[in-house]
Amino acid sequence: MVPVVYRPEYLTYDFGPQHPFSPQRLAMLVELLAELDPAWGPVAPVQARREDVLAVHAERFVRRVEAASRGAPPADLDDYGLGTSDTPVFPGMDAAARWLVGGTLTGARLVSGGTARRVLQLGGGLHHAQFDRASGFCVYNDLAVAIHHFLEAGMRVLYVDVDVHHGDGVQWIFYKDPRVLTLSLHESGRYLFPGTGGVFELGQGGGTGYSWNLPLEPYTGDACYLEGFERVFEKALAWFLPDVILVQAGADAHFLDPLADLMLTTRAYGRIFTRILEGAEQYTEGRVLFTLGGGYSFDAAVRVWALLYFLLKGQRIPERLPEGWRSRWGQRLGQTLGTELHDTHGPPRVPRRPEIERYNRSNVDRLLDVVSKYLTPG
């Protein structure tokens, strides 16, 4: 059995109707999975406790989130990344964020306790949240809380982030820890939020060499992305020998995403997810926990995550999407949704493709060259 962790309370993590990080994406996904899979039946998580959040966040920050959630925001909210256009305050924000943290932590407990090898958390992936600051739609860092749990269980963690934005919050929280290897593939910070994730962000102290970043040029397509992913992912597995893989499966590198400029298709995402599952079988006895993440094309993100669901469960990939679901959600969103789970057309032609591929390959070579000076097997 592959547990899928979800509660309706996830939908309360809601920054408002105009905000791109909309809970409607998750509502769409849950309805789609329930229609496509007769065996749909998620595992209900336990809400994270305050102490769970404090394992990776400053108490002064958590106090401000709590106060803002009660409608009594302190005057210095902005110093903590709260009340901004990216991460506005809303009533009940602390409880809503702790539901998402609780889902990812529940998944981590299922894996570490041996109840399951593969787990999908249908939410979370809030990778920008820092030790003492909210950032980029992320209040609490559910991924960091899960990593902390794995470390307490004596497990070495390979964190893989395929969101189009750099997984900065997770990187900085574990920047000095050699028990965690963070691997992020993302559009270069020269062009995209949060502006970090360069090849030479390698870690500090005992963690030097355990932070891996592959910044990619805008308009990077399937073949070039997959070539780089395969090289760095295989090397990370072979060098680090993790006990578990934690994956932030952001869908915003898809070519339809409005907030970024990578050009992946659903076929590339299918290969990425399959390769991660293969790596887990080879190196971690199958132990892998996936969360969701960014993804701001409702059409593309929901299809990418549905694909992930069926791949994790080892079930046949449905071809066509239910007409009733398409009609219902198309009317709500005011747009026409795709008819099939996979893309029926590809991204536009990119005139700079040879230059983009040369740049990306040079970054892969640079990354593997520099980390080889620090990292030793096992």
Side-chain angles (χ1 to χ4, degrees):
M1 184 188 75
V2 177
V4 177
V5 183
Y6 172 74
R7 278 186 74 121
E9 286 87 348
Y10 288 8
L11 303 180
T12 63
Y13 191 82
D14 186 356
F15 295 112
Q18 304 307 314
H19 197 280
F21 200 91
S22 171
Q24 285 192 90
R25 301 166 305 154
L26 189 51
M28 283 178 70
L29 176 63
V30 169
E31 286 190 19
L32 177 61
L33 297 178
E35 289 196 33
L36 288 175
D37 185 4
W40 163 257
V43 173
V46 175
Q47 186 182 43
R49 304 167 302 165
R50 190 174 196 263
E51 306 90 87
D52 297 323
V53 174
L54 289 173
V56 301
H57 288 295
E59 200 272 343
R60 62 183 181 276
F61 169 62
V62 174
R63 273 193 284 112
R64 283 161 175 82
V65 174
E66 293 168 336
S69 300
R70 295 192 301 267
D76 61 353
L77 268 190
D78 189 61
D79 294 339
Y80 293 87
L82 296 164
T84 65
S85 58
D86 271 2
T87 315
V89 168
F90 60 90
M93 180 172 63
D94 169 70
R98 284 192 292 109
W99 273 117
L100 294 179
V101 174
T104 306
L105 183 55
T106 295
R109 287 169 174 156
L110 290 170
V111 174
S112 68
T115 303
R117 296 189 309 148
R118 300 178 177 181
V119 178
L120 173 59
Q121 146 72 330
L122 276 192
L126 305 179
H127 61 168
H128 294 308
Q130 311 285 335
F131 169 68
D132 59 357
R133 184 177 176 83
S135 177
F137 316 160
C138 305
V139 177
Y140 295 145
N141 198 314
D142 61 299
L143 298 153
V145 172
I147 291 172
H148 179 267
H149 170 80
F150 284 133
L151 296 179
E152 289 288 293
M155 304 174 79
R156 291 160 57 84
V157 184
L158 172 59
Y159 170 72
V160 180
D161 191 319
V162 297
D163 194 282
V164 80
H165 302 91
H166 176 226
D168 58 331
V170 179
Q171 172 181 290
W172 300 129
I173 290 172
F174 297 102
Y175 207 53
K176 299 180 180 180
D177 197 327
R179 298 171 298 171
V180 183
L181 193 157
T182 60
L183 169 59
S184 178
L185 294 88
H186 46 266
E187 185 175 335
S188 172
R190 292 185 298 163
Y191 311 103
L192 191 66
F193 177 89
T196 54
V199 168
F200 293 99
E201 291 172 21
L202 295 169
Q204 288 181 347
T208 302
Y210 292 82
S211 174
W212 294 24
N213 289 292
L214 182 56
L216 299 162
E217 281 288 277
Y219 311 115
T220 295
D222 285 4
C224 189
Y225 187 105
L226 291 171
E227 176 188 324
F229 175 81
E230 179 61 38
R231 289 181 63 192
V232 297
F233 180 63
E234 175 57 34
K235 190 67 72 173
L237 287 169
W239 278 351
F240 187 62
L241 301 177
D243 298 304
V244 63
I245 302 173
L246 173 61
V247 185
Q248 201 272 21
D252 43 6
H254 191 276
F255 72 89
L256 290 177
D257 199 274
L259 298 190
D261 301 296
L262 296 192
M263 291 288 177
L264 298 193
T265 68
T266 54
R267 300 287 176 184
Y269 271 105
R271 180 57 196 153
I272 292 164
F273 299 149
T274 298
R275 183 67 190 92
I276 291 172
L277 292 173
E278 292 170 349
E281 290 298 324
Q282 185 176 1
Y283 285 93
T284 68
E285 299 179 344
R287 289 185 291 268
V288 60
L289 167 60
F290 283 81
T291 74
L292 305 189
Y296 308 102
S297 163
F298 286 65
D299 180 14
V302 170
R303 290 186 292 113
V304 167
W305 292 330
L307 178 64
L308 172 61
Y309 173 90
F310 286 102
L311 287 171
L312 250 69
K313 284 185 162 284
Q315 296 179 6
R316 183 185 63 84
I317 306 297
E319 292 184 9
R320 298 192 63 82
L321 299 175
E323 285 301 320
W325 177 88
R326 289 184 61 246
S327 173
R328 185 167 64 250
W329 278 102
Q331 290 177 9
R332 291 184 195 178
L333 299 173
Q335 67 181 85
T336 301
L337 300 178
T339 58
E340 299 181 14
L341 190 62
H342 275 298
D343 299 321
T344 55
H345 67 279
R349 181 177 176 273
V350 178
R352 293 177 50 246
R353 181 175 171 181
E355 179 185 342
I356 291 168
E357 292 179 349
R358 282 195 301 272
Y359 176 86
N360 289 338
R361 287 184 182 123
S362 71
N363 268 352
V364 174
D365 292 339
R366 188 177 296 116
L367 171 60
L368 294 180
D369 178 63
V370 72
V371 297
S372 68
K373 295 177 173 62
Y374 297 98
L375 205 55
T376 55

